[in-house]
Amino acid sequence: MSSVLRKDAFDLPEGLIYLDGNSLGPLPRRAADQLSAVVQDEWGKLLIKGWNAAGWMEQPSRVGDTVGRLIGAPQGSVVIGDTLSIKVFQAVASAIKLIPERRVILSDSNNFPSDLYMVEGLINLLGQGYQLKTVPTDALFDAIDETVAVVMLTQVDYRTGRMLDIAETTARAHAAGAVMVWDLAHSAGALPVDIAASGAEFAIGCTYKYLNAGPGAPAFIYVRPDLAERVEPALSGWLGHRAPFEFAESYQPGQGIERMRVGTPPVLQMAVLEAALEVWEGIDMSALRAASIALQEQFIAEIESRVPALCLASPRDPAQRGSQVSFAFEHGYAAMQALIHADVIGDFRAPDIMRFGFTPLYLDADDVHEAVNRIAQVMDEKRYMQPEFQVRNRVT
């Protein structure tokens, strides 16, 4: 049994094999109890006194430090709040101000669309000749030159799981005089990350995937400590103010990472996150990574042996992919719906990608083997051709 296996820590339906933690993590058992306690004992009994008596105002930094330990960030350099899209906007808006003479923001053409949309919106808002330049992954290094102000990348590709080297890529950006922004949405809680050692200026990420904080859970932002007193927040919300309860007429940035706070923290959702993070106590991220790779390799070998219609879309080399495996299939959407009906839950990404996530906290080799059995049966019987599986849901 894997030393990182924590099945009892999660509330998963009997008989269901969950291979979608890369999209939404399952419910940690402690989370429901913690949420109930905060609702009843803190909100219910303390009411507004909870901001002081229950430490609600300190939550974003306190929980940020816990997340920071999972990404190699020093204490006081990570804060929680808002959505990942907001944090993308914050990070890039602050990054471009560090190199005001440059106008190019470089990204991967395969980057998660929301990240690119937020940059497009920022550019349209600024109207100062800024340009979003996207290139294929293999052309990234050649595109990083003296015109680039900011390199904004997601470490693990959301479709294929292809993984970029944070240290090497950041070094390339810095050699060209550019600022580095990393999206760790598919990295935090999935694999070892040492953001401080990389020297990257900014990192952002969500907490509802591998960190299991639930749908709509708040995001995090990291700022390199030596820049924390220099960065200028584009979203100058009142809780990022130096003294919010002085109610000053004009904005003065808070101290360090506190200036990257924006609005009122989502206390209930953060309570769930804080409880969810308890599962990481005693977890060795290198051991978790090794267990994840073992499960992925088993899955790939068994699928390719038994389900030849599926074509591997992820890198063959496990060192080049995150904690997911993707297969391409012409009828990928319908096939995934048929698998979900068979209690094997993955998800689909256009145009033809079937994604499967591997989280060794609650998955083991027996789960993988049973998942392949069910996938093979669904595919052999062509259940995906049934009309009910052809109907597109709003969320795929």
Side-chain angles (χ1 to χ4, degrees):
M1 180 177 291
S2 168
S3 62
V4 299
L5 193 63
R6 302 285 192 275
K7 275 195 177 188
D8 290 345
F10 296 91
D11 189 3
L12 282 163
E14 186 71 27
L16 184 142
I17 302 173
Y18 195 66
L19 304 179
D20 207 16
N22 54 303
S23 189
L24 176 67
L27 173 66
R29 294 186 187 277
R30 273 280 297 124
D33 293 339
Q34 177 72 4
L35 180 58
S36 178
V38 171
V39 169
Q40 295 177 13
D41 299 335
E42 296 183 10
W43 180 19
K45 295 176 181 177
L46 295 175
L47 295 167
I48 200 168
K49 293 185 294 183
W51 288 107
N52 292 315
W56 294 346
M57 191 59 76
E58 290 72 40
Q59 253 186 332
S61 297
R62 183 178 70 244
V63 182
D65 282 338
T66 305
V67 171
R69 288 193 286 274
L70 295 176
I71 62 169
Q75 188 171 1
S77 62
V78 175
V79 72
I80 307 286
D82 317 301
T83 67
L84 179 52
S85 292
I86 295 297
K87 292 307 178 195
V88 170
F89 188 96
Q90 265 192 303
V92 176
S94 294
I96 59 176
K97 291 183 179 180
L98 296 175
I99 310 183
E101 68 277 10
R102 298 189 184 187
R103 287 292 182 271
V104 175
I105 301 165
L106 177 69
S107 193
D108 183 345
S109 54
N110 293 317
N111 203 351
F112 190 65
S114 185
D115 289 16
L116 302 180
Y117 299 162
M118 293 307 292
V119 174
E120 287 178 348
L122 174 63
I123 289 172
N124 291 337
L125 181 66
L126 293 173
Q128 298 174 25
Y130 283 98
Q131 171 193 355
L132 172 61
K133 180 180 180 180
T134 60
V135 298
T137 307
D138 293 338
L140 274 170
F141 282 1
D142 289 338
I144 301 175
D145 58 27
E146 68 282 353
T147 68
V148 175
V150 177
V151 180
M152 179 196 69
L153 299 170
T154 300
Q155 185 190 14
V156 177
D157 182 272
Y158 78 102
R159 279 196 184 97
T160 67
R162 179 174 179 169
M163 185 170 65
L164 299 173
D165 187 309
I166 284 184
E168 182 183 12
T169 308
T170 301
R172 290 291 188 116
H174 288 171
V179 174
M180 190 74 229
V181 176
W182 282 106
D183 183 338
L184 303 178
H186 289 268
S187 308
L191 47 93
V193 178
D194 194 341
I195 197 67
S198 77
E201 286 83 357
F202 298 90
I204 65 265
C206 59
T207 63
Y208 52 79
K209 299 181 189 295
Y210 296 102
L211 298 184
N212 311 303
F220 64 83
I221 185 168
Y222 159 84
V223 178
R224 202 174 70 196
D226 64 299
L227 297 174
E229 296 290 342
R230 287 177 48 202
V231 295
E232 299 177 30
L235 299 174
S236 46
W238 81 300
L239 288 186
H241 191 280
R242 177 186 59 80
F245 285 91
E246 287 183 3
F247 300 105
E249 186 174 346
S250 60
Y251 179 81
Q252 297 178 40
Q255 183 176 3
I257 193 65
E258 290 286 307
R259 68 183 58 194
M260 303 309 280
R261 294 175 64 164
V262 183
T264 305
V267 172
L268 300 183
Q269 194 77 63
M270 229 176 301
V272 173
L273 171 58
E274 198 160 14
L277 290 171
E278 292 178 11
V279 76
W280 296 98
E281 294 178 9
I283 295 288
D284 182 302
M285 291 304 295
S286 296
L288 180 124
R289 172 65 172 162
S292 170
I293 288 175
L295 295 175
Q296 293 176 57
E297 292 293 276
Q298 175 192 348
F299 185 73
I300 291 171
E302 293 191 22
I303 286 290
E304 292 189 327
S305 172
R306 300 183 58 187
V307 193
L310 300 186
C311 179
L312 184 65
S314 295
R316 176 72 59 181
D317 181 356
Q320 294 181 6
R321 63 176 183 262
S323 203
Q324 72 182 62
V325 174
S326 297
F327 283 91
F329 180 56
E330 180 184 4
H331 305 286
Y333 176 80
M336 185 57 72
Q337 297 308 302
L339 292 181
I340 292 171
H341 188 262
D343 278 344
V344 176
I345 298 186
D347 63 17
F348 171 81
R349 291 295 178 262
D352 60 357
I353 297 296
M354 300 172 69
R355 299 195 311 176
F356 303 92
F358 293 86
T359 307
L361 295 177
Y362 51 82
L363 292 171
D364 58 26
D366 290 341
D367 294 321
V368 171
H369 184 67
E370 177 58 23
V372 174
N373 284 340
R374 298 184 196 180
I375 293 170
Q377 188 172 20
V378 165
M379 297 298 292
D380 290 345
E381 295 174 1
K382 291 185 168 53
R383 294 185 198 171
Y384 53 86
M385 299 303 292
Q386 296 175 18
E388 62 266 33
F389 301 136
Q390 310 296 318
V391 179
R392 293 281 180 129
N393 292 316
R394 188 169 182 178
V395 177
T396 64

